[in-house]
């Protein structure tokens, strides 16, 4: 597939978000460890990955989002993306919001480690549609 893309000069790849299948959890944690070690160690998280659907199962995700599930409120625990690829972090969040709209969840709340997101994370959240609620938390209504 990569050779075909190079032959055709196609550089844009369609990336989709999906819940990480059980068989990819080890690869997901290894990938996250490279980008965000603390996030990778939390075994209670539900992982979502931004992937090329044509790639094989050994190909790492383009970006990762980790959440703590809930029936109505889902909490974003963190993001992992390659260094310098803020666009991928935004893309995985936008796709995650779309995917969660098909569930019973009504709100995605950013709950990164620490009380307040740093400036870079806040900029990513805002670009992905998060806004402060009445309590000052960053949320997206689904």
């Amino acid at each position: 597939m990569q050779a075909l893309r190079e032959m055709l000069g196609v550089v844009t790849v369609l990336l989709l978000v999906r819940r990480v299948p059980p068989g990819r959890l080890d690869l997901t944690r290894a990938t996250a460890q490279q980008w965000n070690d603390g996030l990778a160690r939390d075994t209670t998280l539900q992982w979502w990955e931004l992937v090329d659907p044509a790639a094989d199962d050994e190909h790492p995700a383009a970006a990762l989002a980790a959440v703590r599930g809930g029936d109505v409120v889902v909490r974003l625990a963190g993001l992992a993306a390659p260094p310098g690829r803020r666009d991928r972090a935004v893309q995985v969040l936008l796709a995650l919001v779309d995917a969660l709209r098909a569930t019973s969840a009504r709100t995605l709340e950013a709950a990164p480690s620490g009380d307040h997101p740093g400036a870079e994370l806040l900029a990513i959240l805002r670009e992905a549609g998060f806004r402060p609620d009445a309590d000052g938390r960053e949320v997206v209504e689904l």
Side-chain angles (χ1 to χ4, degrees):
M1 187 65 155
Q2 182 64 29
L4 178 60
R5 284 189 197 116
E6 289 172 10
M7 257 181 16
L8 297 174
V10 177
V11 294
T12 303
V13 176
L14 174 66
L15 298 173
L16 303 174
V17 73
R18 68 177 181 189
R19 259 185 94 173
V20 174
R24 284 183 55 88
L25 280 174
D26 287 342
L27 175 61
T28 297
R29 286 193 181 100
T31 301
Q33 187 172 16
Q34 293 173 10
W35 301 333
N36 184 336
D37 190 39
L39 191 62
R41 288 187 235 155
D42 189 336
T43 60
T44 66
L45 299 174
Q46 180 185 103
W47 290 90
W48 291 76
E49 62 183 353
L50 189 66
V51 294
D52 176 351
D56 60 35
D57 276 347
E58 282 71 43
H59 192 79
L64 299 164
V67 300
R68 294 188 194 291
D71 291 335
V72 177
V73 177
V74 175
R75 288 179 174 79
L76 177 69
L79 294 171
R85 293 306 309 255
R86 174 182 162 158
D87 61 321
R88 293 276 172 92
V90 171
Q91 190 176 5
V92 75
L93 282 179
L94 290 170
L96 175 61
V97 167
D98 286 342
L100 290 174
R101 287 188 171 128
T103 70
S104 63
R106 295 292 153 245
T107 304
L108 175 59
E109 175 182 295
S113 58
D115 291 337
H116 302 292
E120 179 70 12
L121 178 56
L122 185 57
I124 290 168
L125 293 172
R126 292 290 169 82
E127 196 171 332
F130 283 76
R131 298 292 177 255
D133 69 1
D135 297 324
R137 295 174 299 211
E138 296 294 321
V139 299
V140 170
E141 298 302 323
L142 305 170

